Amino acid sequence: MKTTDGVFRNGGISKSLHMLCKNLNLHPMMRVKDGRIVVFGLCCGNPYRYAKRYLKRLLRKADEIDTQFALLMYTSCSDELIRSIEAEMRKRVPFKRILVAPTYATVSCELGSGCFGVIFIKK
């Protein structure tokens, strides 16, 4: 995620994590665990760098992922960044189909602009 403003404003992260990310230009990596969104790492750098690192962590167990279908959702990301993310996903896991779509307004309001997420099924 580009900034933590939206997710902090909506109670998704603590004030201390928000300030840490804001002051050190860190970007949280988040995932759904037990029905809740949790932070599972922090990245620094430009969107291409943190997108690659996020995908490396998220898709590291390729043999446990169903390759039939994946969904790449995003809010206010450049077309070039989305193409780069899709290429990195295909490099790490041989998905037969990746659907790329903008997120709903609700997600955009909750997390803010410049976010993306990957949804897939585990075997």
Side-chain angles (χ1 to χ4, degrees):
M1 104 180 13
K2 191 175 181 179
T3 69
T4 57
D5 294 334
V7 74
F8 167 67
R9 188 175 47 248
N10 291 304
I13 62 170
S14 67
K15 184 175 183 177
S16 58
L17 179 57
H18 170 63
M19 294 308 292
L20 179 73
C21 291
K22 188 174 183 171
N23 292 328
L24 298 178
N25 194 26
L26 298 174
H27 310 280
M29 295 186 287
M30 303 176 94
R31 67 176 171 204
V32 177
K33 185 175 182 177
D34 299 326
R36 294 182 24 182
I37 296 176
V38 296
V39 176
F40 74 99
L42 295 170
C43 296
C44 60
N46 65 46
Y48 296 92
R49 183 173 180 209
Y50 61 75
K52 189 172 183 175
R53 183 165 179 212
Y54 170 77
L55 293 171
K56 181 179 179 181
R57 296 232 4 227
L58 187 69
L59 304 174
R60 68 178 168 217
K61 296 180 182 177
D63 57 326
E64 296 177 6
I65 297 172
D66 183 349
T67 60
Q68 292 297 315
F69 177 79
L71 176 61
L72 169 58
M73 297 184 76
Y74 63 92
T75 62
S76 304
C77 294
S78 71
D79 290 339
E80 184 181 335
L81 177 60
I82 296 303
R83 284 192 300 274
S84 172
I85 292 168
E86 184 179 3
E88 187 68 24
M89 287 172 65
R90 291 188 187 283
K91 178 179 154 187
R92 297 192 173 281
V93 178
F95 289 111
K96 291 179 177 64
R97 184 166 182 224
I98 297 176
L99 177 63
V100 179
T103 60
Y104 297 106
T106 305
V107 175
S108 298
C109 291
E110 286 285 324
L111 299 178
S113 65
C115 298
F116 74 92
V118 176
I119 300 169
F120 56 87
I121 298 171
K122 287 187 170 184
K123 291 181 184 175

